[in-house]
Amino acid sequence: MNRKLIAGNWKMNGLSADLQTIREIAAGLAVSAAAPEALLCVPATLLAEAARQASGTALRMGGQTCHAQEKGAFTGDISALMLREAGAGFVIAGHSERRSGHGETDAIVAAQARAAVNAGLTPIICVGETLDERLSGATLRVIEGQLAGSLDGLQPGSFVLAYEPLWAIGTGNVATPAQIAEVHAFIRQFLEQRFGQSGQSVRILYGGSLNPANAAEIFPIPNVDGGLIGGASLKAGDFLAIYNTAGALTV
Ligand code: PEP
């Protein structure tokens, strides 16, 4: 069984006053090798201070995107090395809000993920279908295309995947256990075909309106190795409740 990863995505939320939430989360984590790994992907402006305040605890910090190039004339962008230097261990790549709002294609996502790995970060690569794609029966074909295009040049052990149906992100409409089980099994099969047995060790997170009330139903689903959590990661109590649910299922 893969060690579960409970990852928060703060998106464009978080000022210095919110470092208190980070301290509360860090203080509430279990300290054991079997406990889930806990991660917060915070705005770049908070990263260095958040990492400093979380140092010595089990809480890991991450960025939310990075550029594919190491450095250069890319006004407003941030490189993987910059995130690493600021204290990140992970970075989200290809979140649907970046794919749709910033034109990030599978090829760009793969290049960002490779840049992250080269900088010593673990990319969390997101895939997921729109509501129209699900309703037209195209879900698995869409996921397969995103996986085929977004994993170019990556090896198992260096990245994490997140299945995030777009219609479930920030909507309160969580995917059903059967829908999650089907897509996660499909992703696992894809990974095994591509990487052989090592495909089993790639962690696959579920994301989309995960909260303390539905976590106990989602984490036991086969091939669900944790969660990527938006809204509920902004409250220490909610994030810790989700983390503790995952932890209780691990022991
Ligand atoms: C996300 O942004 O990755 C996400 C899953 O958000 P939420 O939990 O708010 O649906």
Side-chain angles (χ1 to χ4, degrees), residues 33-218:
E37 210 171 357
L39 164 71
L40 288 180
C41 295
V42 297
T45 47
L46 279 192
L47 192 50
E49 184 57 21
R52 198 182 66 76
Q53 297 204 15
S55 77
T57 77
L59 182 60
R60 312 283 308 277
M61 303 309 304
Q64 299 176 6
T65 186
C66 67
H67 199 279
Q69 299 295 322
E70 247 179 56
K71 60 180 175 177
F74 304 104
T75 304
D77 281 313
I78 189 152
S79 77
L81 264 180
M82 291 170 182
L83 295 173
R84 176 94 184 120
E85 189 183 66
F90 292 78
V91 63
I92 299 170
H95 190 282
S96 62
E97 288 154 15
R98 304 275 327 163
R99 287 179 184 263
S100 63
H102 297 264
E104 293 183 359
T105 61
D106 292 330
I108 291 173
V109 173
Q112 292 172 343
R114 287 193 300 272
V117 172
N118 289 339
L121 300 178
T122 301
I124 300 174
I125 301 166
C126 303
V127 296
E129 81 285 2
T130 63
L131 185 57
D132 280 353
E133 288 164 344
R134 175 158 286 277
L135 294 178
S136 68
T139 297
L140 298 183
R141 188 163 42 77
V142 168
I143 301 294
E144 184 174 22
Q146 290 175 338
L147 290 171
S150 305
L151 300 184
D152 239 10
L154 296 173
Q155 293 306 316
S158 68
F159 67 93
V160 171
L161 282 172
Y163 167 54
E164 297 209 303
L166 272 62
W167 48 272
I169 296 179
T171 58
N173 298 325
V174 67
T176 65
Q179 290 169 329
I180 298 172
E182 182 191 31
V183 176
H184 279 241
F186 179 80
I187 294 174
R188 181 67 70 210
Q189 193 185 22
F190 179 98
L191 293 168
E192 285 172 1
Q193 272 166 11
R194 182 148 177 155
F195 300 116
Q197 209 173 336
S198 336
Q200 290 168 9
S201 65
V202 175
R203 290 187 284 187
I204 310 170
L205 314 184
Y206 168 76
S209 298
L210 230 168
N211 62 41
N214 59 34
E217 194 174 38
I218 292 171

